């Protein structure tokens, strides 16, 4: 009930306390560990505090430990949120290492079938952020394909078109290949 009001810090704190009690009662309670991680990501994102994101990543690790009866769909969602935790942590730290860990989790989530629009947009975004940090043309090309996939799933995906334009523009800056300039303009 507290987690429904996820934009309120006091409710997030109360929800986390309730989940702590649940995991104390049953340390193998996958859903509690998983939910706790999601709430800590919200808290870390709202407060822009990496300590909550690091704690969320630990909760996802615990959830993974007790995931032996979970469906492929649930595991895809776990990896998607786990990747989001690293992604937000990377935005705060600016470290390629965090973006690389996020990309690995996103790839795993995608391999398990996760494909909702917000996930695809985040997956494309983290790929491009890592590409920008290390100057990788290949990763920018991958980010473009991911953005195109997100657009194919929703032709009114504004964020997908914005990503497509931005990623092509960055590839143009790296390569001076006019095809990327025109693709950015078209997007």
């Amino acid at each position: 009930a507290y987690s429904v009001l996820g934009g309120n810090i006091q409710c997030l704190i109360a929800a986390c306390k309730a989940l702590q009690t649940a995991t104390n009662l049953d340390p193998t309670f996958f859903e509690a560990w998983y939910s706790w991680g999601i709430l800590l990501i919200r808290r870390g994102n709202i407060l822009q505090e990496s300590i909550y994101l690091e704690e969320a990543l630990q909760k996802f690790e615990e959830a993974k430990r007790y995931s032996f009866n979970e469906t492929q769909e649930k595991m895809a969602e776990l990896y998607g949120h786990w990747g989001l935790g690293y992604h937000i942590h990377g935005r705060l730290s600016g470290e390629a290492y965090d973006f690389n860990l996020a990309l690995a989790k996103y790839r795993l989530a995608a391999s398990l079938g996760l494909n909702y629009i917000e996930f695809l947009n985040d997956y494309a975004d983290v790929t491009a952020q890592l590409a920008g940090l290390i100057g990788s043309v290949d990763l920018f090309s991958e980010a473009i394909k991911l953005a195109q996939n997100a657009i194919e799933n929703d032709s009114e995906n504004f964020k997908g078109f914005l990503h497509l334009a931005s990623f092509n523009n960055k590839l143009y800056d790296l390569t001076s290949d006019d095809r990327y300039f025109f693709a950015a303009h078209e997007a």
Side-chain angles (χ1 to χ4, degrees):
Y2 285 123
S3 68
V4 171
L5 301 172
N8 180 305
I9 294 297
Q10 294 307 316
C11 289
L12 286 174
I13 291 169
C16 287
K17 286 180 182 177
L19 290 167
Q20 181 176 14
T21 300
T23 57
N24 286 340
L25 292 170
D26 180 3
T28 66
F29 191 2
F30 168 86
E31 194 66 40
W33 290 111
Y34 172 59
S35 298
W36 197 355
I38 292 170
L39 294 175
L40 286 166
I41 285 176
R42 285 188 200 161
R43 189 171 176 188
N45 196 29
I46 290 169
L47 298 174
Q48 295 292 288
E49 294 277 343
S50 62
I51 191 165
Y52 301 113
L53 297 166
E54 291 163 9
E55 192 176 342
L57 299 172
Q58 292 170 356
K59 303 310 179 209
F60 292 138
E61 190 71 47
E62 288 296 314
K64 170 73 170 89
R65 181 179 301 165
Y66 303 114
S67 65
F68 35 85
N69 291 326
E70 299 305 320
T71 65
Q72 180 175 320
E73 181 180 340
K74 190 57 139 181
M75 293 306 296
E77 291 174 8
L78 169 67
Y79 289 122
H81 281 101
W82 204 340
L84 180 62
Y86 279 120
H87 188 172
I88 295 169
H89 196 271
R91 279 190 267 165
L92 293 176
S93 72
E95 295 290 330
Y97 179 73
D98 290 321
F99 290 120
N100 193 45
L101 292 172
L103 184 56
K105 296 298 182 193
Y106 282 155
R107 283 179 174 155
L108 191 51
S111 75
L112 293 172
L114 196 62
N115 68 351
Y116 60 89
I117 298 305
E118 179 122 0
F119 166 74
L120 293 172
N121 285 333
D122 288 343
Y123 185 6
D125 185 48
V126 80
T127 305
Q129 287 185 13
L130 181 59
L133 285 173
I134 63 175
S136 172
V137 171
D138 291 339
L139 280 177
F140 270 123
S141 296
E142 183 180 341
I144 287 170
K145 288 176 187 169
L146 291 165
Q148 288 170 332
N149 188 19
I151 292 167
E152 286 172 12
N153 286 333
D154 179 6
S155 63
E156 295 183 15
N157 180 359
F158 173 80
K159 197 173 193 179
F161 280 107
L162 186 61
H163 280 155
L164 192 57
S166 174
F167 303 161
N168 274 294
N169 189 50
K170 289 177 182 176
L171 258 179
Y172 173 71
D173 289 343
L174 283 174
T175 65
S176 298
D177 185 333
D178 287 340
R179 291 177 300 164
Y180 299 120
F181 174 82
F182 292 113
H185 177 75
E186 183 180 331

